[in-house]
Amino acid sequence: MQIVIVPTPAEVGAVAAAKIAKVVRTKADAVLGVATGSSPLAIYAELEHRKSAGELDFTAVRAFALDEYVGIDYAHEQSYHSVIRREVTDRLGLNPALVHVPDGAAADIARACADYEQLIAEAGGVDIQILGIGTNGHIGFNEPTSSFASRTRIKTLAPRTREDNARFFDGDLAQVPTHCLTQGLGTILAARRLVLVATGAAKADAVAAMVEGPLSSMCPGSALQLHPDATVVIDEDAAARLTLTDYYRHTFANLPEWQRYEV
């Protein structure tokens, strides 16, 4: 796992976007795993800037969202169908037909989950997956005690997750759905590359448990320890509980040329 510590949230987005840009430049029809929430917004802003500057072309890029709420209308501004369209598809100029989000309104949830796994497989798998981490250590909506072998499925959201997400629903916890469809930890780990971003002191405990804690289902993010190409990009506040910060800075400053990417 590569740990990159930078001063500001904007720089977190820039470093993560550079890694994604390298993939897209290498493979025009790359498969991106896209995430919602506050953490990835700086990534999308930087990728949009690079697209506008003529550095990147996303027209052939395919995308799969991590998750979607169950029981929320797709037209709702906080459905992930809406969020992905607004923050990713429209901003980056992706072809909407090539952007996929789990079907949280499906009559047959189990079938919808199996179909989503099949779509990812037919696309050849995810080339690079964007991730955030919840304050309780969840990635996607894989809450604590999720199986590391899990695939796309329905999950009950933890009270802490619903409380954290109430900010997207005008602070009204009653509006936050109780269930979701989410790619499983096994699905996420099958991506060729992972890039996780986190900012702010509220994420410091989760980041420390993910990076330096034991491999444990109590911190689903610790599953990244099992991945051969996982990059964690964080700001100083999110890094505050880490022990080996000097080593992480030294490692990133001395990457061999073939591992570098233009920020």
Side-chain angles (χ1 to χ4, degrees):
M1 190 187 301
Q2 182 185 70
I3 314 302
V4 183
I5 303 170
V6 295
T8 68
E11 289 173 271
V12 168
V15 171
K19 190 172 180 70
I20 295 161
K22 185 175 182 179
V23 173
V24 174
R25 281 195 297 267
T26 303
K27 183 179 180 183
D29 63 345
V31 180
L32 302 185
V34 293
T36 56
S38 301
S39 296
L41 293 179
I43 297 176
Y44 303 139
E46 176 64 22
L47 291 174
E48 181 183 23
H49 172 74
R50 292 178 180 233
K51 177 187 77 76
S52 299
E55 299 174 16
L56 293 174
D57 181 0
F58 290 91
T59 54
V61 166
R62 297 160 290 169
F64 288 88
L66 275 174
D67 37 38
E68 175 60 288
Y69 290 118
V70 171
I72 188 171
D73 192 284
Y74 289 169
H76 191 291
E77 66 176 2
Q78 292 304 326
S79 80
Y80 289 161
H81 278 74
S82 293
V83 173
I84 293 296
R85 184 187 67 250
R86 185 169 64 244
E87 300 294 347
V88 182
T89 308
D90 292 349
R91 294 179 69 177
L92 303 185
L94 273 69
N95 180 348
L98 301 180
V99 180
H100 307 280
V101 182
D103 186 3
D108 186 339
I109 291 292
R111 171 51 56 187
C113 293
D115 289 346
Y116 201 66
E117 289 281 333
Q118 183 63 30
L119 280 174
I120 295 173
E122 289 172 355
V126 173
D127 290 305
I128 186 164
Q129 175 67 60
I130 299 168
L131 297 166
I133 188 167
T135 54
N136 66 355
H138 74 252
I139 56 174
F141 273 137
N142 293 282
E143 301 285 17
T145 72
S146 289
S147 166
F148 287 0
S150 57
R151 310 301 293 199
T152 302
R153 68 212 187 285
I154 190 169
K155 284 293 289 183
T156 302
L157 296 175
R160 177 71 176 274
T161 301
R162 294 185 66 239
E163 291 165 6
D164 288 346
N165 284 9
R167 69 189 189 280
F168 298 116
F169 293 85
D170 299 321
D172 184 359
L173 183 61
Q175 292 186 43
V176 183
T178 57
H179 291 81
C180 66
L181 299 188
T182 183
Q183 289 186 34
L185 293 175
T187 312
I188 291 168
L189 290 174
R192 294 176 184 86
R193 305 169 190 83
L194 307 177
V195 57
L196 183 145
V197 292
T199 60
K203 299 295 180 70
D205 285 334
V207 167
M210 170 182 64
V211 174
E212 297 179 342
L215 185 67
S216 169
S217 66
M218 288 299 291
C219 178
S222 68
L224 270 67
Q225 296 177 24
L226 297 171
H227 198 278
D229 190 348
T231 301
V232 175
V233 190
I234 52 180
D235 67 1
E236 297 286 352
D237 288 338
R241 299 298 298 275
L242 293 172
T243 300
L244 299 178
T245 51
D246 289 343
Y247 174 68
Y248 304 139
R249 291 189 177 97
H250 173 78
T251 299
F252 186 64
N254 291 279
L255 286 177
E257 189 62 34
W258 62 271
Q259 279 191 321
R260 294 181 182 276
Y261 39 90
E262 185 179 347
V263 178

